[in-house]
Amino acid sequence: HLPSRVHMRKDADGKLQVIKVDMVRETIEVLTKTALQSGYRVVIIDHADRMNIAASNALLKTLEEPGDNTCLILLTGEPHHLLPTIRSRCQAVDVTAHNAEAWLQQHYPGADIQAAMRLSQGAPLLAQQMIADDRVKACKQFINMVLAGDNIVGLASKLDKDTPTTTYIQWLSWLVSDCIRITQGLPARSYPDLPVAAFAQRYSTEQWYRKLDLLYDATELASKPVAINAGLMIESLVIKLYRAKHVS
């Protein structure tokens, strides 16, 4: 018999969703009610790094006591985004995309492939998109403005109106991701050549995780078909990255 699966993936429109606590609880409930028919019960959580803190905490007990013939598979390209309590209860299996840089170099000669791969955190298709859209330089310029901390109020007027709001939020997410890595004693991954280390010391690892939740929620809002002032939204998010009172 095939294993029973509950598979969390992307939304129908292809955008990554935030995995919230209700989704995890529903999954666990389905898992406990699924009849075992001479096989394994399998839960696959794709993009597990998209779980917010509440969802991660809800999953802990099931990871500790999954039950007989039960397997939980957490897929992520950013394992450091998972809470340490989650990672400590999982067995890590590294799957590397082979020859991605060589393929990109062949199709985009002259492009800064290594920078694109770093910025995209090793995701070759995302790196390809950044190169094709000529956004590698723009990304670094934006993050440099954020790290400088000068004239944050008024940042909206400096943003490229042709760059999607979700793209700016993604660039901020990579910055917070680097801050999480640094507070865990790991090197910056996306922006190793930018002064991220001092910025990372503003908060603890747990506080940076909460900042990441903030950005995930913003991505979800920006993806909805509602009218928003994109520039002011990004400006507000950057201000919240600087202000500790937004960390709870």
Side-chain angles (χ1 to χ4, degrees):
H1 295 275
L2 292 174
S4 301
R5 300 188 180 193
V6 179
H7 200 169
M8 294 181 181
R9 297 187 59 86
K10 297 181 181 180
D11 289 327
D13 60 2
K15 295 175 181 175
L16 294 179
Q17 60 183 327
V18 178
I19 300 176
K20 298 182 178 180
V21 62
D22 289 344
M23 298 172 65
V24 170
R25 287 173 178 164
E26 290 173 5
T27 299
I28 294 171
E29 184 177 357
V30 170
L31 178 65
T32 57
K33 292 181 178 179
T34 301
L36 187 63
Q37 301 175 347
S38 65
Y40 276 83
R41 289 173 293 194
V42 178
V43 169
I44 301 174
I45 303 181
D46 205 351
H47 302 288
D49 53 278
R50 301 291 293 184
M51 288 190 295
N52 60 23
I53 294 176
S56 298
N57 289 334
L59 186 64
L60 282 177
K61 182 173 176 59
T62 303
L63 284 176
E64 291 174 347
E65 301 174 3
D68 294 337
N69 294 335
T70 300
C71 182
L72 290 91
I73 301 174
L74 279 61
L75 303 177
T76 177
E78 305 173 58
H80 55 283
H81 278 188
L82 299 174
L83 291 180
T85 48
I86 294 288
R87 294 201 308 271
S88 66
R89 289 163 174 77
C90 298
Q91 179 180 351
V93 178
D94 186 25
V95 180
T96 304
H98 295 290
N99 302 321
E101 289 192 23
W103 184 89
L104 288 170
Q105 192 66 63
Q106 178 182 357
H107 288 78
Y108 299 94
D112 192 344
I113 304 300
Q114 291 186 347
M117 287 292 288
R118 284 197 307 269
L119 291 172
S120 64
Q121 300 188 342
L125 293 181
L126 187 53
Q128 178 191 21
Q129 181 179 347
M130 290 195 71
I131 295 169
D133 294 342
D134 196 23
R135 287 185 176 148
V136 174
K137 184 178 179 180
C139 174
K140 295 177 70 172
Q141 288 176 335
F142 171 68
I143 295 301
N144 263 323
M145 285 194 296
V146 172
L147 293 175
D150 299 330
N151 300 319
I152 291 178
V153 176
L155 179 65
S157 63
K158 302 175 184 177
L159 302 181
D160 177 17
K161 293 180 174 57
D162 292 330
T163 300
T165 307
T166 51
T167 296
Y168 279 115
I169 299 174
Q170 185 172 55
W171 294 350
L172 290 173
S173 298
W174 293 343
L175 173 61
V176 173
S177 172
D178 272 358
C179 290
I180 290 173
R181 288 177 61 86
I182 290 169
T183 58
Q184 293 176 340
L186 299 170
R189 184 179 184 184
S190 292
Y191 309 111
D193 52 342
L194 300 184
V196 180
F199 187 71
Q201 301 310 315
R202 299 179 65 88
Y203 305 114
S204 67
T205 303
E206 182 179 356
Q207 288 174 318
W208 279 121
Y209 274 119
R210 295 191 182 279
K211 296 291 189 184
L212 196 60
D213 277 355
L214 175 74
L215 294 173
Y216 284 164
D217 290 342
T219 300
E220 190 172 33
L221 176 61
S223 300
K224 293 180 179 179
V226 295
I228 59 172
N229 187 315
L232 291 181
M233 182 181 191
I234 299 302
E235 185 177 299
S236 174
L237 288 172
V238 173
I239 290 173
K240 289 177 181 179
L241 290 186
Y242 272 92
R243 290 184 179 173
K245 70 178 182 179
H246 290 277
V247 181
S248 58

